[in-house]
Amino acid sequence: MSSPRRITLKELAAQLGVSTASVSNAFNRPDQLSPALRERVLKEARRLGYRGPDAKARSLRTGRSRIIAVVLAETLTYSLKDAVASELLSGIAEVLDAHGHTLLLLSGRQNASQAPGSSSIADGFIVYGLMASMALVDELQSAGHKPIVAVDFDLGDHPAIHVDDEPACYAIAQHALQTPASRIGIVNLRLTDTPCNGPITDAHALLPTGQTITRSRLAGFHRALTEREVALEDVAMWNIEENTYEVCAPVLAEILDLPASKRPDLLLCMSDRIALTAVTLAEQRGIRIPEDLRITGFDGIEEGQYRSPRLTTVQQDSTEKGRLAARMILGLEPASPRLLTTRLIQGETCP
Amino acid sequence: MSSPRRITLKELAAQLGVSTASVSNAFNRPDQLSPALRERVLKEARRLGYRGPDAKARSLRTGRSRIIAVVLAETLTYSLKDAVASELLSGIAEVLDAHGHTLLLLSGRQNASQAPGSSSIADGFIVYGLMASMALVDELQSAGHKPIVAVDFDLGDHPAIHVDDEPACYAIAQHALQTPASRIGIVNLRLTDTPCNGPITDAHALLPTGQTITRSRLAGFHRALTEREVALEDVAMWNIEENTYEVCAPVLAEILDLPASKRPDLLLCMSDRIALTAVTLAEQRGIRIPEDLRITGFDGIEEGQYRSPRLTTVQQDSTEKGRLAARMILGLEPASPRLLTTRLIQGETCP
DNA sequence: CTGTTAGCGCGTTCAG
DNA sequence: CTGAACGCGCTAACAG
């Protein structure tokens, strides 16, 4: 069998009869030694199975690891299944890859067993979404001068990347209200102070304005409704805690199973997942879209467009959001707050 | 402003007038020092903003990082958008999280600029899918004695996790063939030796048997067809290189735009993504499912089930596959080859 | 229970 | 262009 242990730079230098510095330079600074020696070093390295400087030692020495961590507000298990988060990660990965960095995934909801400080290995942090617990993020902030970029929420005075949630929702609601609706419903996402999957009543407190993007989305809806002189108290409100079919389905079933005279004929949904669940459940019940029920979404995920009926929604470019965050964290882009625009997609669920 | 640099264990020890070992033990081995001293250390640490041992130095010293890397055959950008890969990652993340480990994402197709050896930071590797280039994987294999688990392909004599592709495809084809079909088509995924998006002709060489799971899937189809005495040369074959709507759509459009007399009335697809694209394009063309065209998929992704018509497909539990791989890499499960079973889902696209 | 010591593997001086 | 020396921050082993 081959040697059980990886050969070390020092050993390679000894083998070659040169100094460790030369071996190091052969890998890191070609201009610091003669091409001939460099070639000899690299050749001998290949021969002995030396794969270049050890990442752990190197990062201890240089202070950098070429690892960027993404801290997700939700669990990794959830985030990886969520189309919007996946697209964001996809955009991040694209840029990191192109610049020789790798991607470490962390969750703000990590199991308590997590070793604290384990995150200190990363060179920078992209923090996505409002954390239930700020413990990890607080740690990052006070842990030194590593760059931090926030996405979809504000974090101290770190640069934040936002989407124009309020105008986007104003625009889509305005579009929807061009056709008169008798009963309007809004299906919110994580809007209440305490967990709630079902109707929002007066008893519920909402999360504070400015804290969460869904509050901005609601503001956009409200502005359009008010402009059309729809009384907000006539608009039924529901809340959903998690953007998955399993969690959405019971709430939407409850809505769609209302007697036809009380069932909304326009549903403004805060995510495409919610809207798509509504479409599926409506189809199962023989409720016609858009004749009996018009539905709008938010996000513009592929699943909503590559189907029939296509979802009427607002498209945010999550991939580009990710690319931008990655470029910022790598210093390829000025670290200043950014607001991305969205695009109204007029599909068939709300013509 | 606060101190620009993180305080160090040694400095904290000096400040307290105790040895560095005691400080280290206060964080890592509570049983190795008196509760009183431990409390004093932790308190002073908090006061000075010391967040615990530095991950980089710690991992150099201990040789472990609590980081597990997943090496993906495709680009990260693609994999993160793919439902099957995302589910796998989701399962992996679930187990790693629960055991205080974190997840590093690498791609076998990484940009060339990637620092070699950067992967040596991880404690173990889950390698997913047949790599176009084995460069990275070769590096891992020779780089020491880190555990490696392969998923959906075989890698040296490392333990591999497989799904029963052949029997699964046999079962679904058998099911489909219970209803007579006039013209059968198979839409393959990454099956040809050289890239091809379109019909597979005699000029194409297929990837070698045993190398790729899609070859096993084809074998399952063939077994069922032969059993039903369908001549394989009467079965039209197409190939698709990437499991995305954008790549699938042109190929399927070509198929569905054939004159009705030549268009298949049964499409056996090697992935749900392919099948769903077929459904969408068929709907756009007014081709009735399943009356004019029956379609089967493979994977059992949620998108195929939470819609109408529901996809007839084979469900593999990618999440469980991920959990298993993670448990193996953490040594919570014997490191031996495993074969996971699948389940036939009879949806409406091929009753 | 506490302190001392010796590296983990490497990158970077600085003098030659 | 090269070689020697130092230390990045920490932990394991041992000595007291």
Side-chain angles (χ1 to χ4, degrees):
Chain A
M1 296 303 293
S2 61
S3 130
R5 194 173 52 74
R6 191 175 157 153
I7 196 182
T8 185
L9 183 146
K10 194 196 282 179
E11 289 163 358
L12 176 58
Q15 181 72 26
L16 280 160
V18 301
S19 79
T20 58
S22 295
V23 178
S24 174
N25 285 333
F27 283 93
N28 300 323
R29 313 156 133 211
D31 54 312
Q32 296 294 305
L33 79 178
S34 68
L37 178 55
R38 176 171 144 88
E39 202 36 65
R40 195 158 73 86
V41 171
L42 295 181
K43 192 172 159 196
E44 185 72 358
R46 253 192 312 276
R47 199 178 68 74
L48 296 179
Y50 178 75
R51 305 282 167 176
D54 175 83
K56 288 194 277 270
R58 183 200 187 93
S59 69
L60 173 59
R61 180 64 239 215
T62 62
R64 276 169 301 97
S65 60
R66 300 184 82 78
I67 292 175
I68 299 293
V70 176
V71 183
L72 297 143
E74 308 296 320
T75 62
L76 296 189
T77 302
Y78 164 78
S79 300
L80 286 165
K81 286 189 196 155
D82 180 68
V84 179
S86 292
E87 274 184 36
L88 179 88
L89 290 173
S90 185
I92 292 172
E94 182 186 318
V95 172
L96 294 188
D97 255 24
H99 293 85
H101 285 248
T102 53
L103 181 53
L104 184 72
L105 262 28
L106 301 174
S107 169
R109 298 207 175 171
Q110 213 80 301
N111 191 294
S113 77
Q114 185 186 22
S118 84
S119 54
S120 65
I121 203 150
D123 292 343
F125 300 89
I126 296 171
V127 187
Y128 179 53
L130 181 64
M131 306 288 140
S133 149
M134 294 299 275
L136 177 54
V137 171
D138 286 344
E139 184 182 322
L140 302 183
Q141 292 198 86
S142 58
H145 266 359
K146 305 269 186 77
I148 297 179
V149 170
V151 176
D152 277 1
F153 80 120
D154 292 305
L155 179 58
D157 39 35
H158 302 287
I161 300 175
H162 276 281
V163 155
D164 61 350
D165 292 285
E166 198 274 351
C169 283
Y170 170 73
I172 196 166
Q174 199 183 36
H175 163 77
L177 294 172
Q178 279 170 10
T179 304
S182 309
R183 290 168 303 280
I184 301 172
I186 297 178
V187 189
N188 299 283
L189 187 59
R190 268 180 247 110
L191 187 67
T192 54
D193 200 8
T194 54
C196 159
N197 284 298
I200 299 183
T201 65
D202 292 341
H204 290 102
L206 303 191
L207 287 173
T209 310
Q211 280 254 5
T212 167
I213 53 174
T214 54
R215 197 63 198 262
S216 305
R217 292 186 190 172
L218 183 59
F221 288 156
H222 280 178
R223 182 153 65 94
L225 289 164
T226 304
E227 196 174 283
R228 279 272 168 181
E229 301 184 338
V230 176
L232 297 186
E233 56 270 28
D234 293 342
V235 176
M237 298 259 288
W238 286 269
N239 188 64
I240 284 177
E241 285 299 323
E242 194 182 79
N243 199 34
T244 60
Y245 180 91
E246 287 79 6
V247 174
C248 292
V251 177
L252 285 159
E254 181 186 310
I255 299 173
L256 298 179
D257 287 337
L258 290 170
S261 61
K262 302 192 65 180
R263 191 213 301 147
D265 57 352
L266 172 61
L267 276 183
L268 304 174
C269 304
M270 282 206 183
S271 79
D272 280 0
R273 173 60 52 217
I274 298 173
L276 286 168
T277 304
V279 171
T280 300
L281 297 189
E283 282 175 343
Q284 284 173 6
R285 286 162 175 73
I287 298 172
R288 294 169 306 162
I289 300 170
E291 294 82 355
D292 303 332
L293 173 62
R294 289 179 298 132
I295 299 172
T296 69
F298 194 105
D299 288 333
I301 64 176
E302 297 194 346
E303 184 179 345
Q305 299 308 307
Y306 298 149
R307 75 183 311 284
S308 140
R310 276 190 315 131
L311 214 51
T312 295
T313 190
V314 167
Q315 181 169 51
Q316 60 165 319
D317 193 340
S318 300
T319 305
E320 184 56 30
K321 199 158 66 175
R323 290 192 198 104
L324 181 57
R327 285 198 299 264
M328 266 193 200
I329 216 72
L330 295 182
L332 305 170
E333 190 95 21
S336 53
R338 293 287 282 271
L339 184 66
L340 299 182
T341 57
T342 54
R343 189 168 66 85
L344 180 64
I345 298 182
Q346 187 175 326
E348 291 111 30
T349 61
C350 181
Chain B
M1 296 301 293
S2 62
S3 132
R5 193 174 54 72
R6 191 175 156 149
I7 196 182
T8 173
L9 183 147
K10 194 197 283 180
E11 289 163 359
L12 176 57
Q15 180 72 25
L16 281 159
V18 302
S19 79
T20 59
S22 293
V23 177
S24 175
N25 286 332
F27 284 93
N28 301 321
R29 312 157 138 213
D31 53 311
Q32 297 293 304
L33 78 179
S34 68
L37 177 54
R38 176 170 144 87
E39 203 35 65
R40 195 158 74 88
V41 171
L42 295 181
K43 192 173 161 196
E44 185 71 358
R46 253 193 311 277
R47 199 177 68 76
L48 296 178
Y50 179 75
R51 302 285 167 175
D54 176 81
K56 287 194 279 272
R58 183 201 186 95
S59 67
L60 173 59
R61 178 62 237 223
T62 62
R64 276 170 301 96
S65 60
R66 300 184 82 78
I67 291 176
I68 299 294
V70 177
V71 183
L72 297 144
E74 307 296 319
T75 61
L76 296 188
T77 302
Y78 163 77
S79 300
L80 286 165
K81 286 188 196 156
D82 181 68
V84 179
S86 292
E87 275 185 35
L88 180 87
L89 289 173
S90 186
I92 292 173
E94 182 186 320
V95 172
L96 294 188
D97 255 25
H99 293 86
H101 285 248
T102 53
L103 181 53
L104 185 73
L105 262 28
L106 301 174
S107 169
R109 297 205 175 173
Q110 213 80 300
N111 192 294
S113 76
Q114 185 187 20
S118 84
S119 53
S120 64
I121 202 147
D123 293 344
F125 299 89
I126 295 170
V127 187
Y128 179 54
L130 181 65
M131 306 288 141
S133 149
M134 294 299 275
L136 177 54
V137 172
D138 287 345
E139 185 182 322
L140 302 184
Q141 293 199 84
S142 58
H145 266 358
K146 306 272 186 74
I148 298 180
V149 170
V151 177
D152 276 0
F153 80 118
D154 291 306
L155 179 57
D157 39 36
H158 302 286
I161 301 175
H162 276 281
V163 155
D164 60 351
D165 292 285
E166 199 274 349
C169 283
Y170 171 73
I172 197 167
Q174 199 182 34
H175 164 76
L177 293 172
Q178 279 170 9
T179 305
S182 310
R183 290 168 304 281
I184 302 171
I186 298 178
V187 190
N188 298 282
L189 187 59
R190 269 180 246 108
L191 187 66
T192 55
D193 200 9
T194 53
C196 159
N197 285 297
I200 298 183
T201 66
D202 292 341
H204 289 103
L206 303 190
L207 285 174
T209 311
Q211 279 254 5
T212 167
I213 53 173
T214 54
R215 197 63 198 261
S216 306
R217 291 185 191 173
L218 183 60
F221 289 156
H222 279 178
R223 182 153 63 94
L225 289 164
T226 304
E227 196 174 284
R228 278 272 168 182
E229 299 183 341
V230 176
L232 296 185
E233 56 269 28
D234 293 342
V235 176
M237 298 259 288
W238 286 269
N239 188 63
I240 284 177
E241 285 299 322
E242 194 181 80
N243 199 36
T244 59
Y245 180 92
E246 287 79 6
V247 174
C248 293
V251 177
L252 285 159
E254 182 185 308
I255 298 173
L256 299 179
D257 288 338
L258 289 171
S261 61
K262 302 192 65 179
R263 192 213 299 146
D265 57 353
L266 172 62
L267 276 182
L268 304 173
C269 304
M270 281 206 184
S271 78
D272 281 0
R273 173 59 52 218
I274 299 174
L276 286 168
T277 305
V279 171
T280 300
L281 296 190
E283 281 175 344
Q284 285 173 6
R285 286 161 174 73
I287 299 172
R288 294 169 306 163
I289 299 171
E291 294 82 356
D292 304 332
L293 173 61
R294 290 179 296 133
I295 299 172
T296 69
F298 194 105
D299 289 334
I301 63 177
E302 296 193 348
E303 184 179 345
Q305 300 307 308
Y306 299 149
R307 74 183 310 283
S308 140
R310 275 188 317 131
L311 215 52
T312 297
T313 191
V314 167
Q315 180 168 53
Q316 60 165 320
D317 192 341
S318 301
T319 305
E320 184 56 31
K321 200 158 66 175
R323 289 192 199 106
L324 182 56
R327 283 198 300 262
M328 266 193 200
I329 216 70
L330 294 182
L332 305 171
E333 191 95 21
S336 53
R338 293 288 282 269
L339 184 66
L340 300 182
T341 57
T342 54
R343 189 168 66 85
L344 181 63
I345 298 182
Q346 187 174 325
E348 291 111 31
T349 62
C350 182

